Each structure stands twice: as C-alpha cells, then as structure tokens.
Amino acid sequence: VRKNLEANFWLSTHCKHWIFNNREDLKVFNAEDRKIFSDEELIKLRLHYIQFIQNLGRKLKVKQRVIATALVFFKRFYKTESFITFDPRIVASTGFYLACKVEECVVSAQKMVDHGIRLVDPDYPYSSREILHMEFYMLERLQYDLIVFHPYRPLTIFVADAGLKECLQTAWNLVNDSYCTDVSFLYPPYLIAIACIYMSSVFLEKNVSQWLNNINISYKEIIDITKDILSLYEQQSRVDHEEVSLLIHKLHQCRRWMTMAPS
C-alpha cells in the first residue's frame, strides 16, 4: 500500500520543487520580511492570513481539499516574494481562487468577493478584476506547479489498513491543522498522514506500535512531525489579537512606505 502511495509523489513537481532538505532551507521564504519582523512575528502574521483562507473556505462551503491547496499556494508564493511587496490579502484570495479551479470546485472571482471575502473581511480593498490580474503573477511564482499531493487519501487508506476507523476524524482534523505549519515543505504526504494517525491514537488511547512496525517507517520523522503540530497549538495559545493588529498595521505602513519611496 505504502509503495503505491509513494510512487507518483516521488516523480512529481511537488516532490522535486517543493520538498526541502531541512528547516534552514525554508529561510528563503519571506526573505525581505525577515529584515523587519522576527520569526515569531512572521508566524503570527502567517497564521492570521491562514485563518483568513480557512474562514473564506467555510463561508463558501468548499471541500477541505480546496482550502488545503489554497494554503499551499499561499505559502509557496512567498518562496520568492514577501508580505511587504505583495499584500497577503490579495495573495491569499488569489490562491484560493486558483485552488478552486485546480480542485474542480469553480467559484467565480466576483462571487468569491461578494459572498465570501466581504463577509470575512469587510475592509478588503481589492476587486475581482484585481484578483484575476494577480492570478498571472501567482502562476509564475508557483512555477506553474499546480498539482498538490495531500495527506487525506493516504490517511483514509492507512486508517482502514490499521483497523483504526475510530481515529479517522481526529487524524483528519490534525491533517487540517498541519497546513498551519511547515511540515508540507519537509515531509511527503504519506508520512504526515501516519504522524496524524499516531497522534490520534495517543489522544484516543489506541495502541498502534505493531502497525507502525509493520509499515517500516522512520520513528524520528513521525516524532518530528508530531512536535511541529504540537508546537502550532502552543503558538496559537500565545496569539494576542491586539498584537496581531499592531503587526498588520506595521506591515501596511511598510507597504505604504515602499510605494512612496523613490525608485
């Protein structure tokens, strides 16, 4: 089962272009922002815009896979760009619009703005036309790599294989949460799925040690993924909404200064 799940992934652009060897390699993301914001501040800003995408998905009642793909596109865009040069609001909404197309859940840009974005953020400053224009920039920054492999399919297969159907919903929720972290840039989807099954088994007091031994995976990688997801919950518990508002204000000031600065 595992070999079949891995085969297509290792040959994909997802694997070749968007899986990094270590965490240090991820520092190329948001490079210019790192001169202005600390790592902790950048995490808080990113979580804010991730929540924007998640709320937009709920308003428009799209399937979870669309939201997951939109989050991946949003984060990938900033491999070569920064929040101070491209407003995360339009990048997030354009990524969502593109994800709807890719995942065959088409929503018009106008409907997305009128029935989704305006309800999530009444102060959203962009039009549907600007989103359509931004789509071309996003495609370039994504290197036209639009096929995203997610942990959802391996998760359902592994849960059935392990006889742990009672763990499915908890593990599914953990996969959703994993998109708020960097694990999708460091590990293949099937390992993320296994880590989420492992975490759910701990929460629900199920013994999966024999199953993990049978599938012959690296315990270290499973534990590392687990630590990343648990770290997310710690980060979320420290989020101060007033502080985030100040960070957003600082970001908008930086953006205004950049547009006014002489070339």
Side-chain angles (χ1 to χ4, degrees):
V1 172
R2 184 183 135 197
K3 287 182 180 178
N4 290 337
L5 288 170
E6 292 177 26
N8 291 334
F9 175 74
W10 298 127
L11 300 174
S12 69
T13 56
H14 181 153
C15 177
K16 292 176 182 177
H17 300 159
W18 299 103
I19 296 293
F20 296 81
N21 292 326
N22 56 63
R23 293 172 198 280
E24 283 299 307
D25 291 343
L26 298 181
K27 289 187 177 179
V28 299
F29 287 75
N30 295 85
E32 291 300 312
D33 296 328
R34 295 179 188 278
K35 299 174 183 177
I36 298 168
F37 298 99
S38 68
D39 288 347
E40 184 76 14
E41 289 172 334
L42 270 180
I43 288 171
K44 290 175 181 177
L45 281 171
R46 184 187 289 179
L47 288 175
H48 172 77
Y49 294 110
I50 284 173
Q51 187 174 46
F52 169 84
I53 292 171
Q54 292 171 329
N55 290 342
L56 178 57
R58 294 187 190 106
K59 286 292 181 186
L60 292 172
K61 295 182 170 60
V62 299
K63 55 189 178 181
Q64 183 60 41
R65 189 179 177 93
V66 173
I67 297 172
T69 298
L71 292 173
V72 170
F73 287 169
F74 173 74
K75 291 192 282 187
R76 284 183 182 180
F77 182 89
Y78 288 107
K79 178 187 175 186
T80 55
E81 299 295 345
S82 296
F83 291 161
I84 59 172
T85 51
F86 278 90
D87 190 340
R89 291 172 293 179
I90 194 166
V91 174
S93 49
T94 305
F96 186 92
Y97 175 68
L98 187 58
C100 286
K101 286 185 176 182
V102 169
E103 300 298 343
E104 299 179 348
C105 181
V106 180
V107 177
S108 72
Q110 192 62 57
K111 178 183 177 182
M112 186 180 74
V113 172
D114 293 341
H115 300 287
I117 294 173
R118 300 285 184 218
L119 300 178
V120 174
D121 180 6
D123 298 321
Y124 184 80
Y126 300 102
S127 67
S128 59
R129 180 175 294 183
E130 288 171 299
I131 290 172
L132 293 173
H133 182 68
M134 181 65 190
E135 183 181 8
F136 294 102
Y137 287 99
M138 173 157 274
L139 286 168
E140 288 182 357
R141 301 313 187 273
L142 297 178
Q143 302 171 224
Y144 299 91
D145 296 340
L146 301 180
I147 304 302
V148 179
F149 285 75
H150 293 291
Y152 298 110
R153 180 169 173 266
L155 175 68
T156 56
I157 293 173
F158 283 137
V159 162
D161 181 61
L164 292 168
K165 291 184 179 179
E166 63 272 32
C167 291
L168 179 59
Q169 188 58 59
T170 301
W172 189 281
N173 293 339
L174 288 165
V175 168
N176 293 345
D177 291 344
S178 76
Y179 285 97
C180 300
T181 75
D182 289 326
V183 296
S184 65
F185 290 112
L186 296 167
Y187 305 98
Y190 80 91
L191 272 183
I192 298 171
I194 293 170
C196 291
I197 292 171
Y198 167 73
M199 290 179 71
S200 66
S201 74
V202 172
F203 296 154
L204 299 174
E205 299 182 341
K206 301 289 182 181
N207 188 341
V208 295
S209 57
Q210 185 60 53
W211 176 71
L212 289 174
N213 287 333
N214 289 342
I215 60 174
N216 190 29
I217 47 86
S218 163
Y219 273 93
K220 181 185 183 305
E221 290 178 311
I222 298 304
I223 296 303
D224 286 345
I225 295 169
T226 299
K227 287 179 179 177
D228 275 3
I229 296 174
L230 291 176
S231 177
L232 165 69
Y233 301 140
E234 184 182 345
Q235 290 161 355
Q236 289 176 326
S237 71
R238 294 200 306 267
V239 169
D240 181 307
H241 295 293
E242 185 176 341
E243 180 189 1
V244 173
S245 295
L246 290 173
L247 289 173
I248 293 168
H249 178 69
K250 179 180 176 180
L251 174 60
H252 290 170
Q253 280 188 319
C254 290
R255 287 181 46 74
R256 279 195 292 271
W257 179 83
M258 286 190 65
T259 58
M260 293 170 60
S263 56

